[in-house]
C-alpha cells in the first residue's frame, strides 16, 4: 500500500503566483483593451550576449566531432569551469579551492536540495520575508510543524524579521537555531547585507555550530564596492557557511540553467569531522543528479572570460537602469521605495496603509501594472509590494508613466 509524503499537505497552498494569475485573468477579461505591464516576476528578458552565444555554440560543436565529444562529465562539474569559478572569487580576494565547487543546474535546485544533508530535527531560521523555496523545502522534508494561517508562520521555524528599522536585514536569532538561510542581495526586498551584519551571523554560527546557507544569486548586481558579494569575504565563514550562486541573473541563464554551490572542506557541524559535509553533498549530487549540460558549461566558461564578464556587466547595467527608472518614477509621486540600487528589485511601502493585495488590485486596475504582493514572501512582507526591474525598457517606461499619471494617491496617503 503506497502512501504519500504527508508533509506536502502541510504546505500553505502555493498561493502567490497562481493568485496573481487568477486576478490578472479576471481583470483582462473584463478589460480586454488594457495593455498589461508585468513587473511581477523575477525572470530575465534580454537576449544572451554574443560572446556567451559563441561559448554555447562551441559546446554544441564539440559534440559533433568524436575527438572532442564528451558524455557524462566530471562529477562536480567541468574542471575548467570550477577552476574558472575559483579564479573569479580569487579576483575578489576570496580563496576557494576548485574542489569545493559543485556545478549544478541552478541555485533554486541547490537551495532546495542542500537541506537534505542535515538532520531532521535541525531548527531552521529564515529571513521574513524570503524567497519561498527555503521554507517550502524544509516543510516537505518534515522540519516544520503546522502552518498557522492567522500568523502566516509554520511552527518550529524561526522567522527573522526584516523591517524598515533594521534596513531589511535581520539581527541574529535570540534562540539557538541550526540552519540559517540568508539571501543577499535579497529577493524580495532588494536589501544587501553589510559586512558587519554578515559578520554577526558568521560569529553566531561559529558559536552555535550552526550552518549558514547563503544565497548569493544577485551578487553581480552589487554596485557598491563596500558591500560583500560572497559570505567568504567574512573571516571564519569557510567553517560555517555554504554559498549558492547562479548564472541565471548574472548572465541571463534563467532558461539555460547553470549554477554552483560551494561547500568548503573546512565546514563542519556538531557531529561531523571537517570534510564530511562536503563529501555528503558530493554523495547527494552524484546519487540524485548527473551534472549540468556540457553545452551549458561551455557557456558558463564564456561568461567567466574577460569579454564575457564585460558583456554581463552591460546586461546587468541595463536592468539596473530599469531599476533607477522605476525608483525615480515612484519617488516622484511620493511613494516610499527601498532596494533597486544594488539589486534588481524595488520594495515599496504600500501607500495609505493598504494591504499588499489591496495595493495589487489598485495598481492593476488603475495603471495596468502587475507587481507582487509582499505578503506572499512571509508575514513581515505585509504592507509592502515588490516590483522587478527585469523587463524591456519600453515596458518599464510605460509602466512607470502609467503609475505616475494614473495611480490615485490622496495627499494624506503619501508617505
Ligand atoms: C532567481 C533566484 C534563484 C533561482 O536561480 P536558478 O539558478 O535560476 O535556479 C535562486 N535564489 C533566488 C533568491 C532567486 O531570486
Amino acid at each position: 500500500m503506497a502512501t504519500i509524503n504527508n508533509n506536502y499537505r502541510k504546505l500553505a497552498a502555493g498561493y502567490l503566483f497562481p493568485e496573481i494569475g487568477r486576478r490578472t485573468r479576471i481583470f483582462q477579461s473584463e478589460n480586454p483593451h488594457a495593455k498589461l505591464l508585468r513587473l511581477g516576476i523575477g525572470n530575465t528578458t534580454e537576449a544572451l550576449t554574443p560572446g556567451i552565444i559563441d561559448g554555447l555554440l562551441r559546446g554544441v560543436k564539440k559534440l559533433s566531432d568524436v575527438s572532442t565529444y564528451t558524455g557524462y562529465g566530471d562529477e562536480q562539474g567541468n574542471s575548467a569551469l570550477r577552476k574558472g569559478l575559483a579564479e573569479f572569487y580569487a579576483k575578489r580576494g576570496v580563496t576557494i579551492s576548485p574542489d569545493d565547487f559543485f556545478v549544478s543546474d541552478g541555485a533554486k535546485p541547490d537551495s532546495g536540495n542542500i537541506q537534505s544533508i542535515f538532520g531532521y530535527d535541525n531548527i531552521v531560521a529564515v529571513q521574513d520575508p524570503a524567497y519561498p523555496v527555503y521554507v517550502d523545502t524544509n516543510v516537505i522534508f518534515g522540519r516544520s510543524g503546522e502552518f498557522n494561517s492567522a500568523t502566516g508562520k509554520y511552527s518550529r521555524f524561526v522567522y527573522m524579521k526584516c523591517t524598515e528599522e533594521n534596513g531589511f536585514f535581520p539581527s541574529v536569532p535570540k534562540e539557538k537555531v541550526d540552519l540559517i538561510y540568508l539571501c543577499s542581495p535579497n529577493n524580495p526586498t532588494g536589501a544587501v547585507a553589510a559586512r558587519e551584519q554578515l559578520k554577526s551571523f558568521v560569529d553566531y554560527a561559529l558559536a552555535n555550530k550552526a550552518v549558514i546557507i547563503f544565497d548569493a544569486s544577485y551578487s553581480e548586481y552589487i554596485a557598491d564596492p563596500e558591500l560583500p558579494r560572497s559570505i567568504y569575504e567574512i573571516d571564519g565563514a569557510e567553517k560555517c557557511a555554504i554559498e549558492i550562486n547562479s548564472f541565471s541573473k548574472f548572465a541571463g541563464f534563467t532558461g539555460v540553467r547553470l549554477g554552483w554551490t560551494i561547500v568548503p572542506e573546512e565546514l563542519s557541524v556538531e557531529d561531523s569531522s571537517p570534510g564530511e559535509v562536503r563529501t555528503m553533498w558530493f554523495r547527494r549530487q552524484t546519487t540524485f543528479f548527473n551534472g549540468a549540460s556540457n553545452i551549458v558549461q561551455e557557456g558558463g566558461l564564456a561568461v567567466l572570460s574577460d569579454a564575457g564578464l564585460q558583456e554581463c556587466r552591460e546586461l546587468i547595467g541595463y536592468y539596473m537602469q530599469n531599476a533607477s527608472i522605476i525608483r525615480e518614477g515612484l519617488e516622484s509621486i511620493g511613494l516610499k521605495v527601498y532596494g533597486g540600487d544594488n539589486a534588481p528589485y524595488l520594495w515599496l511601502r504600500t501607500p495609505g496603509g493598504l494591504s499588499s493585495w489591496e495595493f495589487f488590485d489598485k495598481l492593476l486596475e488603475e495603471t495596468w501594472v502587475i507587481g507582487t504582493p509582499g505578503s506572499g514572501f512571509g508575514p513581515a512582507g505585509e504592507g509592502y509590494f515588490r516590483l522587478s526591474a527585469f523587463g524591456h525598457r519600453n515596458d518599464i517606461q510605460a509602466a512607470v508613466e502609467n503609475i505616475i499619471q494614473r495611480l490615485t494617491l490622496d495627499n494624506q496617503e503619501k508617505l
Side-chain angles (χ1 to χ4, degrees):
M1 184 180 70
T3 62
I4 59 164
N5 173 354
N6 244 310
N7 294 320
Y8 278 84
R9 291 201 169 128
K10 278 192 196 159
L11 288 171
Y15 166 79
L16 179 62
F17 289 103
E19 180 62 14
I20 290 173
R22 192 185 70 81
R23 293 188 192 209
T24 304
R25 278 190 302 278
I26 292 172
F27 179 79
Q28 185 79 89
S29 71
E30 289 169 357
N31 302 274
H33 63 286
K35 187 183 177 302
L36 299 180
L37 296 159
R38 295 173 198 276
L39 270 59
I41 307 173
N43 197 358
T44 50
T45 55
E46 302 310 298
L48 292 184
T49 59
I52 293 159
I53 291 291
D54 283 346
L56 292 165
L57 289 172
R58 216 161 29 244
V60 174
K61 267 275 166 56
K62 279 188 172 176
L63 298 179
S64 71
D65 189 311
V66 70
S67 68
T68 49
Y69 172 85
T70 52
Y72 295 126
D74 300 339
E75 282 149 329
Q76 281 180 235
N78 179 325
S79 55
L81 181 58
R82 283 187 287 121
K83 197 160 152 278
L85 285 166
E87 283 163 9
F88 177 66
Y89 278 78
K91 278 190 227 155
R92 296 194 177 145
V94 175
T95 308
I96 300 167
S97 161
D99 296 339
D100 293 348
F101 284 89
F102 293 80
V103 174
S104 73
D105 58 348
K108 183 179 192 172
D110 285 0
S111 60
N113 293 327
I114 195 76
Q115 47 75 29
S116 69
I117 62 173
F118 297 103
Y120 278 100
D121 51 2
N122 282 206
I123 300 291
V124 172
V126 290
Q127 284 169 282
D128 176 19
Y131 183 58
V133 173
Y134 318 138
V135 163
D136 287 358
T137 55
N138 277 289
V139 170
I140 290 170
F141 208 69
R143 290 198 185 86
S144 76
E146 294 300 322
F147 183 70
N148 178 337
S149 53
T151 61
K153 296 180 182 180
Y154 289 91
S155 62
R156 271 182 67 79
F157 287 173
V158 172
Y159 291 78
M160 304 181 291
K161 219 169 167 180
C162 300
T163 62
E164 282 174 15
E165 292 71 45
N166 61 24
F168 299 100
F169 193 81
S171 30
V172 297
K174 290 186 188 64
E175 57 276 77
K176 194 172 174 328
V177 302
D178 306 307
L179 299 180
I180 303 167
Y181 288 83
L182 294 177
C183 177
S184 174
N186 190 267
N187 176 9
T189 66
V192 186
R195 210 166 288 275
E196 316 77 69
Q197 290 175 311
L198 282 191
K199 183 176 181 316
S200 67
F201 273 88
V202 169
D203 292 346
Y204 173 97
L206 291 172
N208 290 284
K209 293 212 169 217
V211 171
I212 297 168
I213 297 163
F214 189 73
D215 185 341
S217 291
Y218 297 94
S219 60
E220 300 320 294
Y221 286 75
I222 295 178
D224 182 344
E226 293 303 311
L227 293 170
R229 298 181 186 196
S230 165
I231 189 131
Y232 303 116
E233 292 180 35
I234 311 300
D235 284 342
E238 69 286 352
K239 297 197 184 72
C240 64
I242 290 171
E243 181 163 300
I244 297 170
N245 206 325
S246 165
F247 289 90
S248 282
K249 316 300 174 9
F250 176 6
F253 274 31
T254 40
V256 179
R257 310 304 307 145
L258 189 66
W260 69 90
T261 284
I262 299 165
V263 185
E265 185 178 17
E266 298 91 322
L267 179 99
S268 63
V269 296
E270 179 65 31
D271 54 354
S272 80
S273 49
E276 199 178 349
V277 176
R278 187 180 73 176
T279 302
M280 282 181 71
W281 182 241
F282 178 87
R283 189 74 168 87
R284 192 272 166 211
Q285 289 299 77
T286 51
T287 303
F288 287 82
F289 180 60
N290 240 341
S293 151
N294 46 14
I295 298 168
V296 168
Q297 293 190 77
E298 281 292 325
L301 273 168
V303 171
L304 297 177
S305 69
D306 289 340
L309 290 173
Q310 182 52 34
E311 290 178 3
C312 291
R313 271 193 289 277
E314 286 164 24
L315 184 65
I316 288 168
Y318 178 91
Y319 292 127
M320 291 309 289
Q321 186 66 36
N322 286 349
S324 300
I325 292 168
I326 300 170
R327 174 192 266 278
E328 281 164 27
L330 298 181
E331 285 180 343
S332 78
I333 56 167
L335 290 169
K336 188 88 186 124
V337 188
Y338 299 93
D341 40 12
N342 293 289
Y345 296 111
L346 295 108
W347 186 243
L348 52 131
R349 190 93 181 88
T350 59
L354 294 178
S355 76
S356 298
W357 279 109
E358 283 166 348
F359 186 69
F360 175 90
D361 290 334
K362 177 182 171 73
L363 195 69
L364 177 59
E365 282 158 22
E366 294 182 356
T367 73
W368 304 345
V369 173
I370 300 163
T372 314
S375 55
F377 299 99
E382 183 56 276
Y384 290 91
F385 200 76
R386 190 190 77 174
L387 290 176
S388 158
F390 293 117
H392 303 313
R393 179 66 43 81
N394 52 348
D395 292 335
I396 299 284
Q397 276 163 339
V400 172
E401 278 303 299
N402 285 4
I403 292 172
I404 291 174
Q405 285 169 14
R406 311 212 302 244
L407 185 68
T408 58
L409 295 167
D410 300 341
N411 273 335
Q412 60 270 38
E413 272 190 353
K414 289 186 185 174
L415 289 171

